Amino acid sequence: MSKTAIALHGGAGTILRKYMTPEKEQQYLSGLEEALTLGDDLLKKGAAALDAAEATVRCLENNPLFNAGKGAVYAGDGTHLLDASIMRGDTLEAGAVAGVRGVKNPISLARRVMEASAYVMMIGEGAEEFGRKEGLEQAPPEYFHDDLRFQQWQRIKDSDQTILDHADKGERNFSTVGAVCLDREGNLAGATSTGGMTNKRYGRVGDSPIIGAGTYANNATCAVCCTGHGEPFIRAVVAHRISCLMEYKGMDLQAACDEVIHRVLKELKGEGGVIAVDPQGHTSLTFNTAGMYRAAREGVGAPVFSIYGPS
């Protein structure tokens, strides 16, 4: 029986104190604490890593501060196109959905794809139909609305421009959410969810629902969830690359995360970060941006909540 561990994120980017009021900062910290406490309590009570990761991400999806589920950004057609993926480290089973509308918690739909279908990924209307068949909770368009995200879209909706969440005042935030967990039995799991980029068009899909790019879990190495500009993360296969460095080069978790985020990704001009956990319960919260909404707890150690990078 191993110790438990959990790490989560609410997105990375140009997150600076000068853009944050004390009230807004406290709201983000409270959101991170709520999600971490939920997942950590489940793990301490003996829940499986997969269950804890899903529950943690559902909590973040339900919080309009983050770009996933409720409060997701607007796509070019004025709807909310949601992506999610989940993976378990003991069997390497995985599920993912991309470009879905009206599903209250896309991460739960991704899990149903993994457990109740013969597939790994479903997209668009087919995934939505599968979700209704499986009895997943639906939500009307107004449920996902957020005034800030709507105004961001209004300013660019008649152009081919896309922007990142909270891109006002020079900010560049990649507001994906994710959670990685280690349970008492030594099993790892990861879960990721996002609304993508404001005004995205042509069915654009980032790294979040792509197994190996945005999410990966393997009991032999680690569980990883990513947040960043999706295209470089896909090209670098970031989540799986971290696992490979541990498996084939013998790197420890932090060294592998540092190598990928601070060298490989930067060579591709990629911005963002990862959260990761290994079978020994070590966590990594690694990013090459000015900040990342993040939280973690290893075993019975003190929980960590952070927003900004080193000053």
Side-chain angles (χ1 to χ4, degrees), residues 211-214 226 232-242 260 268:
I211 300 303
C226 303
F233 275 76
I234 295 170
R235 292 162 59 202
V237 201
V238 165
H240 186 246
R241 187 183 289 254
I242 290 169
V260 174
L268 295 175

Side-chain angles (χ1 to χ4, degrees), residues 18-217:
K18 66 181 180 179
Y19 296 142
M20 191 84 70
T21 65
E23 293 77 17
K24 182 64 72 174
E25 179 178 302
Q26 187 55 54
Q27 288 174 16
Y28 277 109
L29 290 171
S30 295
L32 295 172
E33 182 176 10
E34 179 185 13
L36 185 79
T37 300
L38 173 64
D40 186 53
D41 284 350
L42 286 171
L43 291 168
K44 294 294 192 295
K45 293 175 182 176
L50 190 70
D51 293 334
E54 179 191 6
T56 301
V57 169
R58 281 176 62 97
C59 183
L60 293 167
E61 287 177 335
N62 295 340
N63 188 331
L65 287 173
F66 303 105
N67 174 24
K70 184 178 179 65
V73 299
Y74 280 79
D77 62 0
T79 66
H80 305 276
L81 297 174
L82 311 174
D83 307 331
S85 62
I86 193 166
M87 186 168 184
R88 55 186 300 167
D90 54 346
T91 64
L92 303 187
E93 290 176 284
V97 294
V100 298
R101 302 178 176 92
V103 181
K104 183 178 179 182
N105 291 108
I107 195 62
S108 295
L109 177 55
R111 181 168 180 176
R112 294 308 297 155
V113 171
M114 179 180 72
E115 295 181 336
S117 83
Y119 309 132
V120 170
M121 177 179 277
M122 295 184 188
I123 64 170
E125 293 180 359
E128 295 162 14
E129 179 184 355
F130 176 76
R132 290 190 292 269
K133 174 179 172 291
E134 288 296 307
L136 291 183
E137 186 174 359
Q138 306 294 301
E142 55 268 24
Y143 168 81
F144 300 97
H145 173 81
D146 177 82
D147 287 341
L148 172 63
R149 308 292 165 48
F150 182 73
Q151 291 303 320
Q152 289 174 337
W153 176 61
Q154 287 292 300
R155 290 194 290 274
I156 64 170
K157 68 176 183 177
D158 296 322
S159 72
D160 287 330
Q161 181 184 1
T162 58
I163 61 172
L164 303 167
D165 182 32
H166 302 309
D168 302 313
K169 304 177 184 176
E171 297 164 286
R172 287 172 52 81
N173 290 0
F174 311 98
S175 295
T176 308
V177 305
V180 291
C181 295
L182 169 70
D183 65 29
R184 286 181 177 178
E185 304 305 316
N187 293 317
L188 298 169
T192 304
S193 183
T194 189
M197 299 176 74
T198 300
N199 207 43
K200 62 184 178 182
R201 297 178 182 272
Y202 313 117
R204 182 265 182 187
V205 176
D207 66 299
S208 295
I210 299 178
I211 300 303
T215 305
Y216 190 72

